[in-house]
Amino acid sequence: MSKENKVRDASLTLMGFVWRLLFAIVLVLVTYNPSGYSYSNWLFTAISNGEFGPQHAVIGVVLLGGWLVLLRATSQSLGFLGLLVCTAFMATLVWWLVDAGWLAAGSLTAIAWISLVCLAFLLAIGMSWSHIRRRLTGQYDVDELHD
């Protein structure tokens, strides 16, 4: 099967989206979260104690690589307008859930957790959007057919 046929046959499944979402959640929450157990907390503690070492740099470069993959895929597939619409949708959905009493956003910590999970969903949607658009419209992204 040629590379072009493999790309055409590749479709997004629910598990495909779940894996993308899990990757995004792990990357976002490992980078920063309000619990104090994150790379950013570990890094700032090491720097303030004068204990910054190569392990901090290696993990930082790995996280940076993950962020570059997610951000590039998201910006390429959604574009500025898509990012704006997805962000507006998530903000209004959170507002609705808080207003309905299904979500508690009474503290800065709760708002931080909600924002981080929304960011992960936005990145997962961005990584999946090319597949979704192809299924809805039949149109392919040009990048998918290149080496």
Side-chain angles (χ1 to χ4, degrees):
M1 180 181 283
S2 74
K3 183 176 180 179
E4 288 183 19
N5 287 337
K6 286 181 185 176
V7 170
R8 285 189 187 114
D9 292 341
S11 62
L12 181 69
T13 63
L14 178 60
M15 281 310 297
F17 179 77
V18 168
W19 281 113
R20 287 171 173 85
L21 178 60
L22 287 174
F23 177 65
I25 286 174
V26 167
L27 184 68
V28 167
L29 296 181
V30 165
T31 302
Y32 171 77
N33 67 68
S35 73
Y37 297 102
S38 66
Y39 173 75
S40 60
N41 188 354
W42 180 54
L43 178 66
F44 292 134
T45 301
I47 291 172
S48 66
N49 293 337
E51 298 172 350
F52 179 80
Q55 67 275 17
H56 299 93
V58 168
I59 300 297
V61 170
V62 169
L63 289 174
L64 179 62
W67 277 101
L68 288 175
V69 167
L70 287 179
L71 291 173
R72 179 164 164 71
T74 299
S75 67
Q76 294 248 322
S77 66
L78 290 176
F80 177 76
L81 187 58
L83 281 169
L84 191 63
V85 169
C86 279
T87 302
F89 173 75
M90 289 200 196
T92 55
L93 180 63
V94 168
W95 179 21
W96 184 21
L97 294 174
V98 169
D99 191 56
W102 291 6
L103 198 57
S107 70
L108 288 177
T109 301
I111 292 170
W113 281 107
I114 292 167
S115 299
L116 291 168
V117 170
C118 284
L119 175 60
F121 266 96
L122 179 66
L123 293 170
I125 290 167
M127 285 193 297
S128 305
W129 188 248
S130 291
H131 295 286
I132 296 167
R133 179 176 48 231
R134 184 177 340 120
R135 185 169 279 176
L136 292 173
T137 66
Q139 296 177 347
Y140 291 86
D141 287 342
V142 175
D143 289 349
E144 293 176 358
L145 300 177
H146 290 263
D147 289 340

